[in-house]
Amino acid sequence: MANYERRSTRQIHIGTIPIGGGAPISVQSMCNTKTTDTEATVRQIRELAAAGCDIVRLAVPDMEAAKNLGNIIRQVKTPLVADIHFDYKLALEAMAQGIAALRINPGNIGSDEKVDRVVEAAADKGIPIRVGVNSGSLEKKLLEKHGGVTAAALAESAVNTLDKIEQMGFDDLVLSIKSSNVKINYDAHMMVKDMTDHPLHIGITESGTPANGRLK
């Protein structure tokens, strides 16, 4: 077994799975089924769990998908994360359906008031939030400041986002920084690990168009 040093972080729980704070490293994957297809999604969640997956994320692109989450949750034991973009109402409905955690990118949810609505509901229900920052959706001002998508731009965006949510009185957070450029992804994590004690979700993906996500 390889030797490595674990950074000290605060701990949260996604369902029954502890994250950070010395807990074992957990494995998360995402279904590629339509969340409105209960049977196919439940089957894939069970297959992922059998393969060793601890947590499963589900796409929630519309209200129909959000309202179907309860039907899925009732049939599986694996903690589920709702992947939310653009519409804060989808996050509110996912929580009403009993989701274990949320994944949001505050930069595309909309106004601070909408983000605050999501954060307030998550606090009331004890639901953690994974804050996602990726190279495909960096703020324009940071792209200009750093000359494009760089590790420093990703780290600054991530810390700014965490600070913003913490100022709303919520700190049950996991941080996710993603870039399909492995070196940028690694360098960003090495920067941000000394800037926050929140646990990190590490993955190699991104979203966005070439115009707003060019790698330098």
Side-chain angles (χ1 to χ4, degrees):
M1 180 179 293
N3 293 320
Y4 56 87
E5 183 178 349
R6 296 283 300 273
R7 63 191 276 271
S8 178
T9 73
R10 65 185 73 187
Q11 186 174 98
I12 70 163
H13 285 78
I14 296 180
T16 58
I17 305 297
I19 308 293
I25 295 172
S26 58
V27 176
Q28 181 177 151
S29 190
M30 185 172 186
C31 286
N32 61 8
T33 56
K34 290 185 176 180
T35 306
T36 50
D37 186 338
T38 304
E39 183 179 352
T41 303
V42 167
R43 180 170 60 249
Q44 195 168 88
I45 292 168
R46 290 173 176 169
E47 289 171 350
L48 287 167
C53 190
D54 302 298
I55 303 164
V56 175
R57 181 162 49 114
L58 303 179
V60 185
D62 53 39
M63 190 57 71
E64 184 182 5
K67 289 182 178 295
N68 196 51
L69 287 170
N71 294 326
I72 297 167
I73 292 166
R74 286 188 287 272
Q75 297 186 54
V76 299
K77 296 180 180 180
T78 305
L80 304 180
V81 179
D83 194 6
I84 307 293
H85 292 274
F86 307 115
D87 188 349
Y88 78 100
K89 293 179 182 178
L90 301 180
L92 298 180
E93 181 60 33
M95 288 186 279
Q97 292 290 328
I99 204 70
L102 294 174
R103 186 276 184 189
I104 65 170
N105 181 343
N108 69 29
I109 288 295
S111 66
D112 288 350
E113 181 181 357
K114 292 176 180 178
V115 175
D116 189 56
R117 289 278 301 278
V118 174
V119 169
E120 183 179 1
D124 287 343
K125 295 178 180 295
I127 294 175
I129 295 176
R130 178 182 134 202
V131 176
V133 175
N134 62 61
S135 58
S137 60
L138 277 174
E139 300 94 316
K140 184 177 179 180
K141 64 180 181 179
L142 290 180
L143 290 172
E144 293 173 349
K145 175 181 177 180
H146 294 278
V149 177
T150 66
L154 283 166
E156 184 174 345
S157 178
V159 172
N160 288 346
T161 301
L162 287 176
D163 288 346
K164 190 174 185 178
I165 293 179
E166 287 182 318
Q167 288 172 14
M168 297 175 180
F170 187 87
D171 63 3
D172 200 4
L173 299 164
V174 176
L175 177 61
S176 171
I177 302 176
K178 293 190 176 182
S179 171
S180 55
N181 182 301
V182 177
K183 186 175 189 312
I184 287 178
N185 188 291
Y186 173 82
D187 289 345
H189 280 88
M190 293 303 290
M191 291 177 184
V192 83
K193 73 179 179 64
D194 297 321
M195 302 164 71
T196 177
D197 67 347
H198 289 290
L200 302 177
H201 170 103
I202 300 176
I204 307 296
T205 61
E206 63 172 306
S207 64
T209 65
N212 68 11
R214 295 190 188 281
L215 300 178
K216 298 291 186 181

